Amino acid sequence: MKKPLIVANWKATKTIKETVQWIKEAKPALEKINSADIVICPSFTSLPFVASMFKDTNVKVGSQEVSKFKKGAYTGEVTVEMLDGLADYSIVGHSERRRLFGEDDDDVIKKVKLLFEYNITPILCVSDLLQTDSYISRGEIIIEKSEKIIFVYEPPSAISGGGAYRPDNPEDVNLAAGKISEKIGKKIVVLYGGSINPENVNSFLSQKNIDGGLVGQASTDPKVFMDLFASIKLGGMVD
Ligand code: PGA
């Protein structure tokens, strides 16, 4: 199996002070990891600091969001141009953005297009197969650039909440990830997201159609995050 890609989604959990502490605890060990490719997605306020700390290392940095607007009178927005030089990746279409902030598939397609203009890799969340169809029908870019998109199959019901992990069944996830690839019609990268933790990570990564994970809760505590990589190594997931 190829090296899994592990993307940390800190969500809205860290102040600058907490970010500094996380980096202090995790950075030395993260830089030694070769059992996985790693992307850290902090909040916008922590992004410049995290980007500077991991500059020229094996650890890449991404944003959790990006504006659908390019530039101008859009109070509060963080545009793709502002991410240039700070982020190599950006999560788009997360179900929390849809549910809580009213984002829709058209918004997501606009963001994907803007990201490609700046060579930032979209990490595109897909809640279900219907949504995959919807993306495909809305923008040729999804098929055209599919080999450069990181797809994430993330059923909203599997996302951890209230401190509890409630992952999906790995076999079901594998089937769904396979169907997403079929719909796209090309070899694509598909991650699974939803309650991944050090105990269950290998049950997902060992599935044929799953190339890595989008990790929320388990990435916010440096110790738990490092345990995740220890599990991956022990599980012998890497060739
Ligand atoms: P979780 O979050 O790992 O806490 O379930 C994943 C995500 O929503 O990106």
Side-chain angles (χ1 to χ4, degrees):
M1 188 189 149
K2 66 178 177 183
K3 244 189 200 186
L5 172 63
I6 300 294
V7 180
N9 177 12
W10 287 358
K11 307 191 180 183
T13 65
K14 290 199 190 304
T15 62
I16 283 287
K17 218 171 150 184
E18 289 162 343
T19 301
V20 170
Q21 187 58 31
W22 190 99
I23 294 280
K24 200 173 148 193
E25 288 177 41
K27 185 173 183 271
L30 277 181
E31 287 179 357
K32 289 196 198 103
I33 286 172
N34 51 22
S35 52
D37 291 322
I38 307 165
V39 178
I40 311 291
C41 299
S43 57
F44 286 128
T45 47
S46 293
L47 186 60
F49 175 70
V50 176
S52 73
M53 293 310 286
F54 287 117
K55 195 170 186 307
D56 301 325
T57 72
N58 58 319
V59 179
K60 304 296 169 213
V61 176
S63 69
Q64 294 174 19
E65 246 309 312
V66 64
S67 177
K68 66 178 169 182
F69 299 110
K70 198 161 184 177
K71 189 183 186 125
Y74 305 109
T75 303
E77 288 293 88
V78 175
T79 67
V80 68
E81 201 179 43
M82 296 171 193
L83 294 180
D84 192 24
L86 280 181
D88 292 320
Y89 296 80
S90 178
I91 300 172
V92 284
H94 195 285
S95 61
E96 285 158 7
R97 300 296 312 173
R98 299 166 173 283
R99 184 166 52 83
L100 302 168
F101 305 98
E103 293 188 7
D104 63 22
D105 293 348
D106 288 324
D107 296 334
V108 175
I109 297 291
K110 283 182 194 151
K111 293 175 190 197
V112 169
K113 286 184 181 157
L114 284 171
L115 289 170
F116 276 120
E117 277 183 35
Y118 283 81
N119 282 325
I120 297 174
T121 302
I123 299 174
L124 175 63
C125 299
V126 179
S127 298
D128 54 33
L129 297 171
L130 280 179
Q131 196 170 55
T132 312
D133 290 334
S134 166
Y135 284 146
I136 292 172
S137 71
R138 272 179 170 76
E140 284 165 15
I141 192 153
I142 297 296
I143 300 284
E144 267 172 25
K145 299 270 194 189
S146 57
E147 283 136 314
K148 295 203 167 116
I149 296 174
I150 312 279
F151 291 83
V152 185
Y153 173 60
E154 183 165 79
S157 59
I159 293 174
S160 72
Y165 290 109
R166 42 185 180 195
D168 244 35
N169 177 317
E171 285 79 28
D172 293 345
V173 171
N174 187 49
L175 272 179
K179 286 192 181 138
I180 292 172
S181 296
E182 260 171 46
K183 282 179 186 288
I184 300 291
K186 290 188 205 160
K187 176 73 197 113
I188 53 167
V189 172
V190 186
L191 314 185
Y192 164 68
S195 298
I196 290 180
N197 63 27
E199 286 72 49
N200 66 25
V201 63
N202 288 333
S203 66
F204 292 105
L205 297 188
S206 57
Q207 301 293 329
K208 180 170 163 275
N209 300 320
I210 301 175
D211 300 302
L214 178 61
V215 183
Q217 188 180 185
S219 72
T220 56
D221 178 329
K223 184 171 173 326
V224 179
F225 197 46
M226 297 321 300
D227 285 349
L228 194 85
F229 293 106
S231 295
I232 293 172
K233 198 167 175 207
L234 272 178
M237 291 297 134
V238 187
D239 286 334

